[in-house]
Amino acid sequence: MNNYGETIKKIRVGKGFSQKYVSNNICTQGNFSKFELGENKDIKHSTLSEFLVRIETSYEEFRYIDNGYTMPLRDEIINNFYNQTYNNSEKLLQLQQSCISFLKEFPEDKLINKINIIIKSLAILANTNDIHYAKLLAEPIWEELSRRDNLYLSDIFLLNSILYIFPIETAVEMKTFAFRHIEKYKNFQNINRIKINFLINLSLLYLKNSDYNMALKQLENSIELCKIEKHFINLSICYIRKGICLNNMGKCGLYWSHKGMNMLEVLDQFDLLSILKTEVEKYSNYIV
């Protein structure tokens, strides 16, 4: 396990734990000592997990420390990709360059290859608005995932990222398909975040199709989840789009649009604010 033993020792000593305490009822102290010295690299993953419990460290934190207090490139790509709030051309380019660098060394990594394709698709959409070409790139990913009996979190994140490249009927099918599998993760950490992203992305598609009732339905569901998760950037997006919907339904939506914009100003999200102001002007009959 590379230098895992060395990292375990660093944490153990830093926390003041003895070898005897950490190895007790897991392995002999002698074998544990050899593991820390790098002389025994045949430790099972389950055994490593037990060591981590003893030294009160999560696997994620352990990997971060083991990588010199930095996130491994693969994890960084996945984390940045999953946490994108909107398509920023500059950030997409940086993410694409990270994918290219990683794939030079690990060309067979299927997940990073899919992420790389999706980033290309999103970049095309952001820079040229050529939705047909963007869809052409993303379509094989949807075709592959749609044939699966079970979806896992990485699959669900991939579906969400390509949702609004497709026609509304396909997007609704994707959301329904994904939510059926999300249910298995209802007690998993941060699962509401992916639900919020699906609902927000779907709301924009309904807006584009002038179906304001359905857009508002997605937004109201998302607003409740945003409040639970205290996800204020996405809550701001929901408020602004809620204002657009109400305005187009003959009701006063200015209060909600301004509320969302004020929140984004407080949060210093000026690039996103600019994008959403353009959205308001495009889909409403008032200027902000």
Side-chain angles (χ1 to χ4, degrees):
M1 284 192 171
N2 301 320
N3 62 338
Y4 282 5
E6 181 183 334
T7 305
I8 288 282
K9 181 179 180 180
K10 180 193 299 182
I11 300 169
R12 176 184 66 77
V13 172
K15 293 193 174 191
F17 297 137
S18 67
Q19 286 187 340
K20 182 179 180 180
Y21 166 74
V22 176
S23 62
N24 186 41
N25 292 326
I26 299 175
C27 67
T28 67
Q29 187 176 339
N31 281 337
F32 181 72
S33 178
K34 289 179 180 178
F35 171 60
E36 286 194 337
L37 292 169
E39 296 172 7
N40 180 5
K41 296 184 179 181
D42 296 326
I43 295 291
K44 295 179 181 178
H45 191 275
S46 58
T47 305
L48 175 64
S49 297
E50 291 183 85
F51 291 155
L52 292 175
V53 171
R54 289 282 170 84
I55 62 175
E56 302 168 1
T57 305
S58 69
Y59 183 67
E60 290 74 17
E61 183 186 3
F62 171 75
R63 289 194 68 208
Y64 184 77
I65 295 169
D66 186 64
N67 201 55
Y69 288 92
T70 61
M71 192 176 288
L73 181 56
R74 186 178 193 272
D75 292 354
E76 185 181 329
I77 290 169
I78 293 169
N79 186 62
N80 289 340
F81 179 69
Y82 289 171
N83 285 299
Q84 281 203 126
T85 305
Y86 63 98
N87 289 339
N88 179 295
S89 297
E90 186 178 331
K91 289 183 179 178
L92 285 173
L93 179 60
Q94 291 172 355
L95 199 47
Q96 190 173 28
Q97 289 171 343
S98 295
C99 286
I100 291 168
S101 296
F102 180 84
L103 290 170
K104 282 180 180 177
E105 190 170 354
F106 305 101
E108 301 303 318
D109 191 305
K110 291 187 177 182
L111 178 57
I112 302 301
N113 269 299
K114 287 189 180 87
I115 289 174
N116 190 39
I117 291 168
I118 291 171
I119 291 167
K120 287 180 184 177
S121 179
L122 295 177
I124 287 166
L125 199 58
N127 295 324
T128 69
N129 205 31
D130 189 342
I131 196 163
H132 298 292
Y133 186 30
K135 178 174 173 286
L136 189 66
L137 288 175
E139 207 155 27
I141 294 173
W142 163 232
E143 289 174 357
E144 178 190 335
L145 295 177
S146 66
R147 291 193 295 268
R148 294 190 180 178
D149 294 327
N150 291 292
L151 291 182
Y152 297 92
L153 281 181
S154 61
D155 306 322
I156 294 167
F157 273 105
L158 291 175
L159 274 184
N160 174 64
S161 66
I162 61 175
L163 182 78
Y164 56 88
I165 296 174
F166 290 82
I168 188 67
E169 298 81 8
T170 307
V172 171
E173 184 183 351
M174 286 178 176
K175 181 251 184 181
T176 304
F177 184 46
F179 271 43
R180 189 164 68 245
H181 295 277
I182 284 175
E183 185 59 26
K184 295 179 293 187
Y185 289 92
K186 60 185 177 182
N187 296 318
F188 196 76
Q189 60 184 0
N190 298 322
I191 195 60
N192 280 339
R193 186 183 69 184
I194 187 65
K195 287 185 176 181
I196 291 166
N197 290 339
F198 264 102
L199 293 167
I200 287 177
N201 286 339
L202 199 54
S203 75
L204 182 58
L205 278 178
Y206 279 121
L207 272 180
K208 288 179 176 180
N209 282 270
S210 302
D211 191 340
Y212 306 112
N213 282 302
M214 286 302 296
L216 188 59
K217 183 178 178 181
Q218 314 307 312
L219 293 166
E220 294 290 15
N221 289 337
S222 184
I223 285 169
E224 291 307 309
L225 292 174
C226 286
K227 289 178 179 178
I228 291 169
E229 297 299 316
K230 296 180 173 55
H231 206 314
F232 299 116
I233 292 177
N234 278 340
L235 183 60
S236 305
I237 297 171
C238 291
Y239 282 158
I240 292 169
R241 288 185 183 164
K242 179 176 180 177
I244 295 173
C245 291
L246 290 173
N247 180 69
N248 281 286
M249 294 165 70
K251 302 174 184 179
C252 182
L254 273 173
Y255 166 80
W256 294 103
S257 293
H258 286 159
K259 184 175 183 177
M261 290 177 189
N262 289 338
M263 287 173 64
L264 288 176
E265 285 182 354
V266 169
L267 294 167
D268 291 336
Q269 295 292 317
F270 297 109
D271 287 345
L272 180 56
L273 177 60
S274 177
I275 291 170
L276 287 163
K277 280 185 176 180
T278 302
E279 239 181 61
V280 171
E281 293 167 7
K282 183 175 181 180
Y283 297 112
S284 295
N285 56 13
Y286 57 84
I287 305 297
V288 291

